[in-house]
Amino acid sequence: MSHPQSYEILLFPEPEEPAAGAPAPGTAIRSAVVAATGDTGASGYPRYTGDGMEADIDPASHTVEALLVDGSELDYGLTARIAERIGGTEEAGTGGAEGHSGGGTPQPPAE
């Protein structure tokens, strides 16, 4: 099975009560394009790095299985989603590590 060579990871705040000064719902607060390293992470999935993020991503389900942001685990209250990048364009598909560094619940493909 061939693995995608890069993904774009987007970090979103989890929906909750709107607070003054908070980003609008559905607005990513950070993004990074990560590229395959050729290594396998501790989770057993291919490792991707770039722009301050290091992720193990399951290429079959497009799920972020482990994620470090600037060397630290993902803060609670944040959700990671990915979009496969093919030749500079995005292919529908999301997954996420929600509020922690691994074990995210797969999300249905975006339509």
Side-chain angles (χ1 to χ4, degrees):
M1 173 179 178
S2 176
H3 302 300
Q5 293 303 300
S6 66
Y7 286 96
E8 181 175 19
I9 298 176
L10 303 168
L11 298 182
F12 293 91
E14 288 184 355
E16 57 183 51
E17 293 297 317
T27 302
I29 59 172
R30 182 163 174 183
S31 67
V33 175
V34 294
T37 65
D39 295 329
T40 301
S43 66
Y45 293 100
R47 171 77 40 100
Y48 294 79
T49 62
D51 297 332
M53 293 190 197
E54 185 173 338
D56 295 356
I57 299 174
D58 178 351
S61 67
H62 302 283
T63 301
V64 177
E65 296 294 339
L67 178 65
L68 295 176
V69 179
D70 297 329
S72 299
E73 292 184 3
L74 187 64
D75 289 335
Y76 284 99
L78 295 178
T79 300
R81 296 185 183 224
I82 61 173
E84 187 175 341
R85 298 180 61 85
I86 300 174
T89 61
E90 294 181 13
E91 177 182 283
T94 60
E98 297 185 17
H100 50 79
S101 63
T105 304
Q107 302 293 319
E111 295 187 29

